[in-house]
Amino acid sequence: MNETRIFRCPWGDVQDATVRNYHDHEWGKLNLDDQYLYEMLVLELFQSGLSWATILHKRENFRKAFKDFDAEKMAQMIDYDVGLLMQDKGIIRNHIKINAAIKNAKAILAVKKEYGSFAKYLQNFIPSPIVHHPDTIDEVPTTSDIAKQIAKQMKKDGFFFVGPVIIYSYLQGIGLINDHLEDCYFKNNGSIIFPVDDLFI
């Protein structure tokens, strides 16, 4: 019996089920839940200098250590908590990145006071998803003018580890940019959309 082969983006067409499932069901799929947005921001900053597969395989450990990515709880962490996290072998024990995750939680709470949600803060830059149509992986950029603009503003607003390359990758992950290859089965399938009132400006 012949099986129909599903075409995926090359980086997602792997035997590693964790990476493949992330490609199929999360990457490029719009998700504007504030807790998820913070989670992905944390994972992206920890990914810097490492492989995404490494981060995905430690994701559940991060979730437990980082209080289920609850920004309010993370913002209350003190040096004692950082010390405990530095002893947690299940995560990436990087003092600078751990402190950046805590500072980013505080920054998210600050912008939420002004915009109502972190999602609306991001939508101030990208009101609706940007869909690109790359035919090959070489056509997928690593950053863009909008990513540079967002990174610059986020730094002003107190965020850390938010360079243009990290932010572009982040926008891809949360679905505000869809860079699935044109022939990828998952480009327009299985979208995850968390409904928000007046979702798009």
Side-chain angles (χ1 to χ4, degrees):
M1 181 178 178
N2 293 326
E3 293 185 4
T4 302
R5 184 178 182 277
I6 294 176
F7 183 83
R8 292 178 171 87
C9 302
W11 68 267
D13 194 16
V14 292
Q15 292 298 314
D16 188 327
T18 300
V19 174
R20 189 173 63 248
N21 288 335
Y22 172 76
H23 166 273
D24 293 357
H25 303 297
E26 288 189 65
W27 194 72
K29 312 301 181 185
L30 186 65
N31 187 334
L32 295 178
D33 174 75
D34 268 12
Q35 200 153 333
Y36 181 81
L37 294 178
Y38 175 56
E39 173 181 356
M40 294 306 295
L41 190 62
V42 169
L43 297 181
E44 286 288 352
L45 77 86
F46 272 93
Q47 187 272 335
S48 180
L50 301 170
S51 74
W52 188 237
T54 296
I55 300 301
L56 288 178
H57 282 287
K58 291 180 177 289
R59 190 175 189 176
E60 286 305 316
N61 296 333
F62 273 109
R63 184 171 284 126
K64 293 175 183 176
F66 284 66
K67 301 184 181 299
D68 203 30
F69 296 108
D70 184 316
E72 291 190 6
K73 292 179 180 178
M74 284 294 295
Q76 296 172 10
M77 281 192 168
I78 58 176
D79 289 344
Y80 174 78
D81 299 300
V82 174
L84 291 178
L85 289 172
M86 285 296 294
Q87 299 175 41
D88 190 337
K89 296 180 180 179
I91 65 171
I92 305 299
R93 293 179 290 177
N94 182 300
H95 194 270
I96 295 175
K97 291 181 179 181
I98 290 172
N99 275 301
I102 295 171
K103 290 175 181 177
N104 285 350
K106 294 177 180 178
I108 284 176
L109 296 183
V111 300
K112 283 176 73 172
K113 288 183 178 179
E114 181 176 354
Y115 292 87
S117 69
F118 187 41
K120 289 181 179 178
Y121 171 78
L122 294 173
Q123 286 178 281
N124 186 53
F125 302 99
I126 304 179
S128 59
I130 297 169
V131 181
H132 293 146
H133 303 279
D135 291 316
T136 68
I137 198 68
D138 291 336
E139 295 175 22
V140 178
T142 57
T143 190
S144 67
D145 288 342
I146 189 64
K148 293 174 183 176
Q149 178 188 345
I150 294 172
K152 184 177 180 180
Q153 187 60 50
M154 288 183 76
K155 288 178 182 178
K156 289 182 179 179
D157 291 332
F159 289 87
F160 289 79
F161 265 88
V162 287
V165 174
I166 287 178
I167 290 303
Y168 190 83
S169 180
Y170 176 64
L171 296 172
Q172 291 173 310
I174 63 176
L176 279 176
I177 292 179
N178 184 336
D179 272 340
H180 280 279
L181 299 190
E182 197 65 8
D183 291 337
C184 179
Y185 174 80
F186 295 94
K187 186 174 187 69
N188 299 303
N189 287 280
S191 294
I192 303 172
I193 298 178
F194 280 74
V196 179
D197 292 338
D198 61 344
L199 185 60
F200 298 120
I201 299 170

